[in-house]
Amino acid sequence: MLIFMKICLSFFVLLIAMHAVEIKLESEARIGATGISVNAQVLTSGFSGQYWVVYGQNGRLDQQTKKLPLPPAKEAYLSEEWGQSTSGWTGGLSGKDLVYLKDPDGDGFVRYLGPQEKENRAFPGEPPGLDVNHVDGIGSLNLCSYIYSARLGGNPLKSISGAGLNLGGGKPDLRDAVVQLRLRGNNFDPNGAEIIFWAQSDHDQRLQRTENWVRANWAYTSKTLTHHAESGRWEEISYSLDNNSSKWSYAGNNLSQERPERYSYLNLNDSLADLNGNFFHLLAFVDPTKKPTGTLDFDSLKIRYRNHSLLLPMHGAELIEAPAGSQSPAALLTDGWRHGRGHEWISQIKPKVPQVFTWRFRRAVCLQVLQVHQSVAHPAREVVALTSQDGITWEHLTRIEMASQSTIGPNHNYHLIDINVPAAKFFRLEVHSGYDLQAWALGEVELFGSGADLASDNDWTNLNMDLTELSAGAKYSYQFVIDTTAGTFTSTVGTMTTTSDSQPILVGLTKQPTYHAKTIDLWARVNPMGQPTYAHLEFLENESWVRATPDQYVGRQLVERDVKFENCHVLQDEKAKYRIILSNASAQVISTPAPFESLTPHSK
């Protein structure tokens, strides 16, 4: 009977392992003539592990990328309700274009007013509020609402300028993050511009405050929010920031500026895995001669992102000691939420002694960053942190004097401390006092470092990797490899041929068109291949090709981007077709004519 049970158990484990990891290849993207950005989706069933790509020419897979850890689960949460101020968020080049307001019922929100200064001080001679840092890439921008996500904004409790969120201990991981918000337009007319999410990351965080900083900017053009702002009502929006380079547009730079290389390419995965600059909701594709009008309101923003904290229970930390009689459980200190009702530990009524919490790790871990978030309801005051190798002898790590509140907003009432503990098996936090005699409370405690197995998601995860220094004009095969505690798994083999010249690349119409009452907006995906490139659309009507849009400049980057052809007239001819023309100094590329009936309507 025992042998039979062992056989059944072994079979059950094998069955789980067989279905533990699934891998699907997604669309690739070319990076000039010698690079390919490859994408895949993986279902890892919560297992920790790592991934890499093997690749090569002539069907051989004899080269290998670096190995990267699988992204941890999306169990960290940012919630911004704008209850008391703009809470560190800013709008416009001037920083004056976003203001705090209240609805008649008293609920706060922020409003983007449009450019408030009469002159463009950042870019003299340009229209007010117009950001032209990326005109040789995605084009001109209006900055609606943005915030510093990590240390570029500083720790608000120290004498560093700015108001940084310092998500994830100063290393925010927004790969596949889920964004929710309320959006309302007031007499809003985009005039061809589109509201999108934008991410900016430094190549080297150590150079952020020096004259040698270099940043990469990515625009999430696969999801535009513009139509939600045109109804004039509050609309609920939810979308995910898929870590897939074919769904983003690399924003590029402005080659006429001094030191244009300060905006340089960094691959998407690295940019999102450490989003150390800032993130925006902004207006892209702005026509300098036809600016957007009206105002935009933002409220109830929530972002669910990847949690690297070593104290997250699913990553192996175990809470082995907690204060008795607490009004809310100690487990809320590591639930991924910084603060908020239902997400804060609250002590017993009128505590008289230090409140002690002890966690045990599965094995010794290296500790590098401690982040402690304050409670809104019953703020704690003196907090002490300690570490141990055996749970008996404790070493003092730090003492923190928590502020009772932040003048910026609740998301900024935290302490972020760099620490250096090479090996710890236990971590202890003691709350010694509070500002409220009735109770002491804290919002969240996070520890960041290395040495733990970080559990992955139970749903699909997007993986991105760049293959660089390839041979031009060569056919490559590639394969994703996933190594987890359940075993090693491989994807099917994908193939892609690098280009041998600098003629522009037309990927095709990769986004759904948008239908208006009498016109249609079409989207194409292109790669200018490093030369000034122009694009226009033509329609076949009465057996003749007719130009439907003027030439538009689509930049001179080496990376793919989305291009919008707006307000094209809808043809009623059943035989009507369209084609896209790309041209630069090297060549003219004409797409294969396609019938209008192949387009899927998407009404605004």
Side-chain angles (χ1 to χ4, degrees):
M1 182 65 179
L2 183 60
I3 295 176
F4 176 74
M5 291 177 64
K6 288 183 177 180
I7 293 174
C8 289
L9 181 61
S10 299
F11 177 76
F12 182 68
V13 171
L14 179 62
L15 191 63
I16 292 177
M18 287 175 60
H19 297 280
V21 175
E22 297 180 50
I23 312 171
K24 298 187 299 186
L25 293 183
E26 299 286 306
S27 299
E28 313 95 343
R30 288 183 178 87
I31 308 168
T34 59
I36 302 173
S37 181
V38 294
N39 302 288
Q41 279 195 318
V42 58
L43 187 64
T44 52
S45 303
F47 289 102
S48 61
Q50 55 187 350
Y51 71 98
W52 62 94
V53 176
V54 292
Y55 62 100
Q57 297 183 51
N58 303 316
R60 297 191 302 270
L61 302 175
D62 52 3
Q63 299 181 68
Q64 178 180 308
T65 66
K66 61 182 178 181
K67 296 181 179 180
L68 295 177
L70 286 171
K74 296 188 296 293
E75 292 295 338
Y77 303 86
L78 171 70
S79 177
E80 183 55 74
E81 298 292 338
W82 288 290
Q84 64 186 59
S85 67
T86 58
S87 299
W89 295 73
T90 306
L93 290 170
S94 66
K96 301 176 181 179
D97 300 350
L98 192 76
V99 297
Y100 171 69
L101 296 173
K102 285 187 177 182
D103 272 333
D105 59 6
D107 288 339
F109 63 94
V110 289
R111 172 169 290 174
Y112 170 66
L113 300 172
Q116 295 300 290
E117 292 196 332
K118 294 182 179 180
E119 296 181 357
N120 193 328
R121 298 184 182 182
F123 306 105
E126 298 291 348
L130 194 71
D131 185 336
V132 296
N133 278 320
H134 311 283
V135 294
D136 287 311
I138 199 170
S140 299
L141 314 171
N142 284 156
L143 312 180
C144 302
S145 173
Y146 63 93
I147 195 165
Y148 293 101
S149 51
R151 301 192 184 208
L152 181 58
N155 185 330
L157 298 177
K158 295 183 178 180
S159 57
I160 299 175
S161 62
L165 288 171
N166 275 307
L167 303 177
K171 191 174 181 179
D173 187 345
L174 266 64
R175 290 174 293 180
D176 295 342
V178 177
V179 181
Q180 295 175 286
L181 74 153
R182 298 173 71 220
L183 178 65
R184 177 175 65 186
N186 308 287
N187 299 314
F188 177 67
D189 185 348
N191 277 322
E194 296 285 352
I195 306 170
I196 59 169
F197 183 95
W198 182 284
Q200 179 172 236
S201 299
D202 278 70
H203 288 222
D204 186 344
Q205 199 176 63
R206 296 168 298 181
L207 301 178
Q208 280 185 324
R209 292 189 177 89
T210 74
E211 61 183 11
N212 298 316
W213 61 264
V214 179
R215 293 174 190 146
N217 290 262
W218 285 90
Y220 195 52
T221 47
S222 65
K223 175 64 176 180
T224 57
L225 312 182
T226 320
H227 59 283
H228 292 287
E230 294 180 326
S231 69
R233 302 182 301 273
W234 282 115
E235 294 203 9
E236 308 279 344
I237 305 171
S238 179
Y239 62 96
S240 62
L241 301 173
D242 294 349
N243 182 33
N244 180 326
S245 57
S246 68
K247 296 185 178 183
W248 294 72
S249 293
Y250 172 63
N253 53 13
N254 181 337
L255 293 170
S256 68
Q257 295 177 335
E258 291 186 17
R259 208 169 75 85
E261 69 277 4
R262 70 187 190 277
Y263 293 115
S264 293
Y265 177 83
L266 178 68
N267 94 296
L268 178 66
N269 181 79
D270 292 352
S271 296
L272 293 180
D274 183 8
L275 209 170
N276 54 53
N278 42 18
F279 58 85
F280 306 67
H281 280 112
L282 54 70
L283 285 158
F285 310 107
V286 176
D287 184 340
T289 66
K290 193 175 59 172
K291 67 178 184 179
T293 58
T295 63
L296 293 170
D297 296 340
F298 300 88
D299 194 14
S300 301
L301 175 72
K302 291 181 175 60
I303 301 180
R304 179 185 173 197
Y305 59 101
R306 300 201 179 276
N307 195 329
H308 290 255
S309 174
L310 304 180
L311 292 178
L312 190 68
M314 65 191 307
H315 294 339
E318 180 186 2
L319 181 66
I320 60 174
E321 181 182 8
S326 295
Q327 298 178 67
S328 62
L332 295 179
L333 287 176
T334 56
D335 67 348
W337 293 80
R338 295 184 146 207
H339 61 84
R341 182 175 297 179
H343 297 291
E344 298 179 351
W345 162 79
I346 304 175
S347 74
Q348 61 181 297
I349 297 174
K350 296 183 178 180
K352 304 296 183 183
V353 298
Q355 307 291 287
V356 179
F357 308 85
T358 304
W359 288 268
R360 178 172 56 204
F361 303 107
R362 286 177 181 166
R363 59 175 176 269
V365 295
C366 173
L367 306 181
Q368 297 168 318
V369 176
L370 169 64
Q371 192 165 15
V372 181
H373 302 269
Q374 183 62 286
S375 164
V376 175
H378 306 280
R381 186 166 187 167
E382 183 183 4
V383 176
V384 175
L386 308 98
T387 62
S388 175
Q389 283 281 20
D390 56 11
I392 300 173
T393 303
W394 293 89
E395 291 189 20
H396 177 84
L397 185 60
T398 186
R399 175 190 173 276
I400 301 170
E401 182 82 13
M402 301 292 293
S404 61
Q405 61 182 359
S406 166
T407 57
I408 302 172
N411 280 315
H412 299 267
N413 197 353
Y414 62 82
H415 269 264
L416 180 73
I417 302 172
D418 291 321
I419 56 179
N420 181 19
V421 181
K425 291 184 179 179
F426 297 84
F427 173 75
R428 174 171 288 174
L429 195 80
E430 299 176 353
V431 180
H432 285 213
S433 62
Y435 291 92
D436 185 350
L437 295 177
Q438 291 299 312
W440 306 338
L442 281 175
E444 186 82 358
V445 182
E446 298 178 285
L447 270 176
F448 302 95
S450 60
D453 294 326
L454 304 188
S456 61
D457 268 328
N458 280 310
D459 58 5
W460 289 98
T461 294
N462 287 284
L463 303 179
N464 168 254
M465 185 82 75
D466 284 1
L467 311 181
T468 58
E469 299 181 357
L470 306 179
S471 299
K475 183 177 181 180
Y476 279 86
S477 301
Y478 68 92
Q479 185 179 55
F480 276 81
V481 182
I482 314 294
D483 183 36
T484 73
T485 48
T488 302
F489 304 83
T490 56
S491 70
T492 57
V493 176
T495 59
M496 192 173 189
T497 302
T498 57
T499 185
S500 58
D501 53 41
S502 56
Q503 74 174 34
I505 297 173
L506 175 63
V507 180
L509 291 175
T510 54
K511 275 174 57 71
Q512 275 193 338
T514 306
Y515 281 79
H516 305 273
K518 296 182 179 180
T519 61
I520 184 175
D521 294 340
L522 298 179
W523 293 81
R525 193 159 180 85
V526 307
N527 187 331
M529 291 300 293
Q531 295 196 50
T533 301
Y534 295 83
H536 70 268
L537 197 70
E538 293 183 351
F539 292 164
L540 180 64
E541 189 175 19
N542 299 323
E543 300 184 354
S544 296
W545 286 103
V546 179
R547 179 186 286 262
T549 63
D551 269 334
Q552 62 173 300
Y553 178 56
V554 296
R556 52 182 300 180
Q557 303 300 311
L558 290 165
V559 192
E560 290 183 10
R561 57 157 294 194
D562 285 325
V563 175
K564 180 183 178 185
F565 301 98
E566 62 171 308
N567 294 326
C568 306
H569 290 286
V570 179
L571 302 182
Q572 304 301 323
D573 186 350
E574 293 182 357
K575 297 181 180 179
K577 294 183 179 181
Y578 65 88
R579 67 183 186 184
I580 298 167
I581 315 294
L582 286 181
S583 58
N584 65 18
S586 294
Q588 183 182 74
V589 175
I590 303 175
S591 71
T592 302
F596 269 89
E597 64 186 21
S598 65
L599 301 176
T600 304
H602 173 60
S603 174
K604 280 195 175 184

